[in-house]
């Protein structure tokens, strides 16, 4: 098919915006990051990739489980939450995006991780390594305008606060960290899934000595 000169100009200016996070579990804070990602991208495509780490302490949900619940929690962004099990870090993501034909890439991250990813992505631009190869005309790392909701600590709504709510068997606090788009049934299922992943027993499941031998 014949492409006009105008088509080539558009193709040569292709940019993609992306984010990468643990989202374990996803919270309303991650929803704000997705909103900002979409806003900054404008008419350009935007994508959110999730990490695949899993452990009982900080990553209780499995990869596919996170994708499924994230799409349900943030339906407006569902198509942009990408299932890509072969892409495990920001450099592998950048390599895949370069293969797709994008010539400019913008990574949107929490304010406290700006320098980390800016140095990392630019360091490997034009250099082949284990993650693959990419050679973008332009790489930018910009802030989502808030603290990273994957960060540890107590500021704002974060995944760590959600995990603590599960450990404390505090469903009400956990519920406040989920969007209204997620109904009570799905929120309860998420609460239970995080609890199972963290290997935390329900309080009613813990048998105390007086129940076994009252005397």
């Amino acid at each position: 098919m014949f492409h006009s000169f105008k088509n080539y100009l558009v193709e040569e200016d292709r940019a993609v915006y992306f984010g990468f996070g643990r989202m374990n579990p996803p919270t309303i804070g991650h929803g704000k990051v997705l909103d900002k990602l979409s806003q900054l991208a404008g008419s350009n495509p935007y994508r959110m990739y999730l990490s695949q780490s899993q452990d009982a302490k900080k990553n209780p949900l499995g990869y596919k489980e996170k994708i499924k619940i994230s799409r349900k929690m943030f339906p407006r962004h569902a198509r942009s939450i990408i299932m890509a099990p072969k892409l495990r870090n920001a450099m592998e993501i950048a390599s895949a995006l370069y293969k797709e034909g994008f010539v400019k890439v913008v990574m949107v991250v929490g304010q406290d991780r700006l320098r980390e990813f800016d140095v990392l992505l630019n360091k490997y631009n034009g250099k082949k390594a284990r993650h693959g190869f990419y050679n973008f005309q332009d790489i930018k790392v910009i802030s989502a305008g808030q603290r990273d909701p994957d960060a540890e600590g107590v500021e704002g709504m974060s995944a760590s606060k959600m995990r603590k709510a599960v450990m404390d068997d505090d469903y009400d606090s956990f519920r406040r960290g989920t969007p209204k788009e997620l109904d009570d049934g799905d929120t309860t299922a998420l609460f239970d899934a995080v609890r199972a992943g963290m290997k935390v027993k329900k309080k009613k499941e813990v048998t105390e000595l007086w129940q076994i031998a009252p005397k």
Side-chain angles (χ1 to χ4, degrees):
M1 180 183 291
F2 176 75
H3 291 274
S4 69
F5 181 66
K6 184 178 180 181
N7 290 140
Y8 282 115
L9 286 178
V10 171
E11 288 174 2
E12 289 178 2
D13 200 38
R14 292 187 75 202
V16 60
Y17 287 64
F18 80 95
F20 178 69
R22 296 205 333 254
M23 292 175 67
N24 213 325
T27 75
I28 53 175
H30 296 109
K32 291 179 181 178
V33 171
L34 283 162
D35 290 342
K36 189 67 175 181
L37 184 58
S38 172
Q39 177 190 341
L40 291 168
S43 60
N44 295 296
Y46 69 96
R47 301 177 183 178
M48 174 59 77
Y49 297 86
L50 276 57
S51 72
Q52 298 179 50
S53 303
Q54 188 172 15
D55 57 77
K57 187 176 181 181
K58 294 183 179 180
N59 300 284
L61 299 177
Y63 178 63
K64 291 183 179 179
E65 196 172 20
K66 282 195 301 182
I67 296 285
K68 182 179 179 180
I69 193 63
S70 296
R71 288 173 174 172
K72 187 170 285 191
M73 287 174 74
F74 315 115
R76 188 166 76 86
H77 304 293
R79 291 186 177 182
S80 296
I81 299 172
I82 307 300
M83 171 76 79
K86 292 184 179 180
L87 305 182
R88 298 160 295 180
N89 55 54
M91 289 90 73
E92 290 181 352
I93 292 167
S95 298
L97 294 173
Y98 183 71
K99 281 184 181 179
E100 286 187 45
F102 293 106
V103 297
K104 297 179 180 179
V105 66
V106 182
M107 185 176 187
V108 180
V109 301
Q111 180 67 35
D112 44 358
R113 303 195 76 185
L114 272 175
R115 178 168 173 74
E116 173 190 347
F117 282 112
D118 185 46
V119 170
L120 191 63
L121 287 177
N122 281 286
K123 176 181 178 181
Y124 288 100
N125 197 41
K127 298 177 182 178
K128 190 170 184 179
R130 286 191 302 173
H131 60 260
F133 177 80
Y134 58 86
N135 191 18
F136 292 105
Q137 293 177 11
D138 189 42
I139 296 175
K140 286 188 174 68
V141 180
I142 59 179
S143 172
Q146 61 183 38
R147 182 175 178 276
D148 187 346
D150 283 326
E152 301 304 311
V154 296
E155 296 178 33
M157 180 47 64
S158 66
S160 61
K161 287 184 72 173
M162 297 284 273
R163 295 193 301 270
K164 184 178 185 305
V166 169
M167 289 185 68
D168 294 340
D169 201 22
D170 185 356
Y171 176 82
D172 290 340
S173 293
F174 187 89
R175 184 61 171 123
R176 286 194 289 273
T178 60
K180 62 180 184 301
E181 287 82 359
L182 198 69
D183 63 34
D184 289 335
D186 286 328
T187 303
T188 299
L190 176 60
F191 186 87
D192 290 340
V194 173
R195 174 161 44 203
M198 295 181 73
K199 298 178 172 57
V200 175
K201 291 184 177 181
K202 294 181 182 180
K203 286 186 176 180
K204 65 182 181 181
E205 290 178 344
V206 178
T207 304
E208 296 184 14
L209 182 61
W210 69 268
Q211 293 174 300
I212 301 171
K215 292 182 180 180

